[in-house]
Amino acid sequence: MILELRDVVYAYAGANAVDNITATFDAKQLIALTGPNGSGKSTLLKLVARVLAPHTGEIALDGRRLRDWHAKDYAKQVAYLPQDPDPAFSMRALDVVVSGRAPFLGRFAWERDSDYDEAERALALCDAAHLGERYLDEMSGGERKRVFLARVLAARPQLILLDEPLSSLDVSHVQQFSALLRDIVDRTGVTVIYATHDLNWAAAYSDRMLVMQRGALALDATPGEVMQPDAIRELFGFDAEAVRTGGRAWLVPRVGGSEQ
Amino acid sequence: MLALLLVIALVLASSIGATNVSWRAALAGDVTARSILIGIRLPRALLAALVGATLAVAGVTFQSLLRNPLADPFILGVSGGAACGASIATAAGLSRLPGVVPLIAFAGACGATGAVFLLARRREYTDPTRLLLSGLVLNAFFSAVILISFGLSRQSDLTAALRWMMGTLFGATWSDVALLAVLLVIAMATLAAIGNDLRMLAFGEDDAKSRGVNVERVKLIGFITASIVTGAAVSVSGIIGFVGLLVPHLIRMMWRRDFRFLLPLCALGGGVLVVLADLLSRVVVTSSELPIGAFTAVLGVPFFLSLLRRNR
């Protein structure tokens, strides 16, 4: 899998939400997409997911431009999970997950046993095999996140795009879910790009961090390079100091103007 | 189970009525029994089943397309447009010509749907909220036109117009049955063809797009199909409320599955409800017929509430 973005621009109402982004992504990587609110993270994910089409620039998967892909074929390769998915009607978890197989179905075709096998495999991969028969409205936020992650995995895509999958999870679930993403990347070789606000968790688990600012790519580097208090202060306006432990820098808020 | 229920309802509806005739007599060659059962009651019961099926199918389609559990076939101005057409035709004195009122009602339904769709469309995107809002506003406008038309109509024409507005299957013919049956089969085949894509809309339009669904095309096909059959049903039966809203919810409470499962189940459930409601509207008082729409609510609402209580 290789995803290339070249000079990609997308504008809402005259302002560039995604401003001239160029980047390349390889297989088997966990990539955190960060940046302040409104910096263009969601828009960038939607462009790669083919929900939106770039106004200028090119996106190509495996050397083929997005518009040259058949929509269903592309959906077999790239799966996208919007922020806080909220189905209009409550459904059984297994039915939610198996709907991730939709790009493989013909016009009048129904899911076959093999599709349900894939759905169960995906649920198991997300430590959610026990949730299959439960209904969405009977689940906790953490359980729903696992079910929807299984749904994007059900098509065995090469690239997964997650829009703020950690939002509204408590701290232990953030840890579990981050570890789960890491584990899935290592075990399946899929590339995951996920938008997140949590710099420390992103740095602890990801291979690479992208920081967006006003639509542009301000930083594209390893977690160690991104987690510098000066850079973070400038990009996020977050008055941080670094605490080093276990060979890794953690950013904590500087309280009361104390000097290091 | 629903199919069996529908057959029982159809047998009941064709056997019970103001005149006491039996199927045994009709089959034995009794001419009166035959003309009542085959000429009047059977087409009426079948038309009731078809109208109910159509409205419920349109209801589940609109709810899935708009991702809104309150959507029903009438909210998009379909009934308003049909009633508007019918009342103008009545005011113009056309109601005494056979077949003219249903035809104009159908034209009104199609025109209203087209207007609502155009109003809601902005830069190649159809916004569900704007769609609902446009329907609501047009319905209000249609109500005004209907009242004005009634004011201009002759007293003698008004009774028939009012009966139509309240929903009636009086005078159902085999050609109505055939027409609606053909339309319903075409509509269900069309909806089944987009069923795989349509059920993906439940997860949101962005999600569906990312799964390779051509969302705008699915919405367009779904709306047009559901609107045309609703228009046809309204033109033969007048306005029968609650079916399109109630039946999909009833079915969803019993079978919590996706659109492709719900579509045939809603058709059967809608058929059962309207056949029974029509039967009640004929037999509760023998001197005249009461509005079917009232009985769909009388039958459906208690059932709905009991399911709602059980599910919570």
Side-chain angles (χ1 to χ4, degrees), chain B residues 89-106:
Chain B
T90 306
L94 296 172
S95 59
R96 274 153 290 172
L97 304 172
V100 169
V101 169
L103 206 65
I104 293 179
F106 182 67

Side-chain angles (χ1 to χ4, degrees), chain B residues 111-166:
Chain B
T113 313
V116 166
F117 208 78
L118 285 178
L119 282 172
R121 218 165 149 76
R122 237 188 341 190
R123 282 188 234 107
E124 291 173 24
Y125 173 69
T126 317
D127 182 357
T129 313
R130 279 175 73 98
L131 210 59
L132 284 171
L133 216 58
S134 310
L136 217 68
V137 170
L138 270 190
N139 270 332
F141 172 75
F142 290 142
S143 306
V145 175
I146 290 164
L147 289 176
I148 293 168
S149 305
F150 278 2
L152 298 172
S153 296
R154 276 194 249 173
Q155 196 68 39
S156 55
D157 294 339
L158 262 184
T159 319
L162 274 175
R163 181 186 278 175
W164 187 86
M165 294 279 293
M166 293 191 296

Side-chain angles (χ1 to χ4, degrees), chain A residues 85-248:
Chain A
D86 181 25
F89 307 98
S90 183
M91 275 177 269
R92 191 171 61 133
L94 191 61
D95 292 328
V96 171
V97 177
V98 86
S99 74
R101 302 284 301 166
F104 294 91
L105 294 187
R107 187 168 292 280
F108 289 98
W110 294 71
E111 287 87 354
R112 287 172 301 184
D113 287 348
S114 59
D115 294 309
Y116 280 96
D117 292 345
E118 285 292 338
E120 277 167 6
R121 177 197 64 90
L123 275 169
L125 206 55
C126 299
D127 298 328
H130 59 292
L131 297 176
E133 293 303 317
R134 299 257 304 274
Y135 282 80
L136 286 179
D137 56 356
E138 304 162 347
M139 287 184 192
S140 70
E143 290 170 332
R144 284 173 67 122
K145 298 257 179 193
R146 280 169 196 275
V147 168
F148 279 99
L149 183 63
R151 179 167 180 263
V152 294
L153 284 165
R156 285 188 191 256
Q158 298 189 61
L159 173 63
I160 291 178
L161 310 161
L162 308 172
D163 197 353
E164 299 207 17
L166 306 179
S167 67
S168 71
L169 287 181
D170 65 42
V171 68
S172 90
H173 281 100
V174 169
Q175 184 170 32
Q176 283 174 28
F177 202 88
S178 303
L180 179 62
L181 289 180
R182 180 75 257 172
D183 186 49
I184 286 169
V185 169
D186 293 341
R187 272 160 63 185
T188 65
V190 66
T191 289
V192 174
I193 305 177
Y194 71 110
T196 180
H197 281 295
D198 207 314
L199 296 168
N200 283 315
W201 289 113
Y205 286 95
S206 68
D207 299 303
R208 175 178 168 191
M209 288 173 76
L210 272 61
V211 185
M212 289 183 75
Q213 192 184 33
R214 291 189 289 277
L217 200 54
L219 259 180
D220 178 357
T222 63
E225 290 163 333
V226 171
M227 296 295 271
Q228 305 292 334
D230 291 343
I232 294 301
R233 199 174 300 132
E234 192 187 318
L235 290 168
F236 288 85
F238 169 38
D239 192 10
E241 58 185 322
V243 175
R244 297 202 162 270
T245 173
R248 186 179 269 144

Side-chain angles (χ1 to χ4, degrees), chain B residues 211-270:
Chain B
R211 303 281 77 207
V213 173
N214 187 338
V215 171
E216 286 304 310
R217 197 183 64 188
V218 169
K219 282 197 284 191
L220 191 70
I221 295 174
F223 281 126
I224 290 178
T225 308
S227 300
I228 287 178
V229 285
T230 304
V234 169
S235 71
V236 297
S237 71
I239 291 162
I240 300 175
F242 291 102
V243 183
L245 186 65
L246 218 58
V247 172
H249 282 285
L250 287 173
I251 299 293
R252 245 186 248 281
M253 283 189 225
M254 290 186 282
W255 293 275
R256 298 207 276 174
R257 304 298 295 272
D258 70 47
F259 175 80
R260 299 166 302 166
F261 288 86
L262 296 178
L263 187 68
L265 294 175
C266 283
L268 292 172

Side-chain angles (χ1 to χ4, degrees), chain B residues 48-60 73 180-181 183-184 187 226 228-234 243-244 266-267 270-271:
Chain B
L50 287 168
V51 166
T54 301
L55 294 176
V57 160
V60 73
L180 200 55
L183 278 176
L184 182 62
I228 287 178
V229 285
T230 304
V234 169
V243 183
C266 283

Side-chain angles (χ1 to χ4, degrees), chain B residues 165-202:
Chain B
M165 294 279 293
M166 293 191 296
T168 178
L169 290 162
F170 182 77
T173 64
W174 281 104
S175 62
D176 292 337
V177 172
L179 179 75
L180 200 55
V182 169
L183 278 176
L184 182 62
V185 167
I186 294 173
M188 286 188 67
T190 309
L191 292 171
I194 59 167
N196 267 336
D197 288 343
L198 210 159
R199 56 101 187 221
M200 296 300 277
L201 285 180

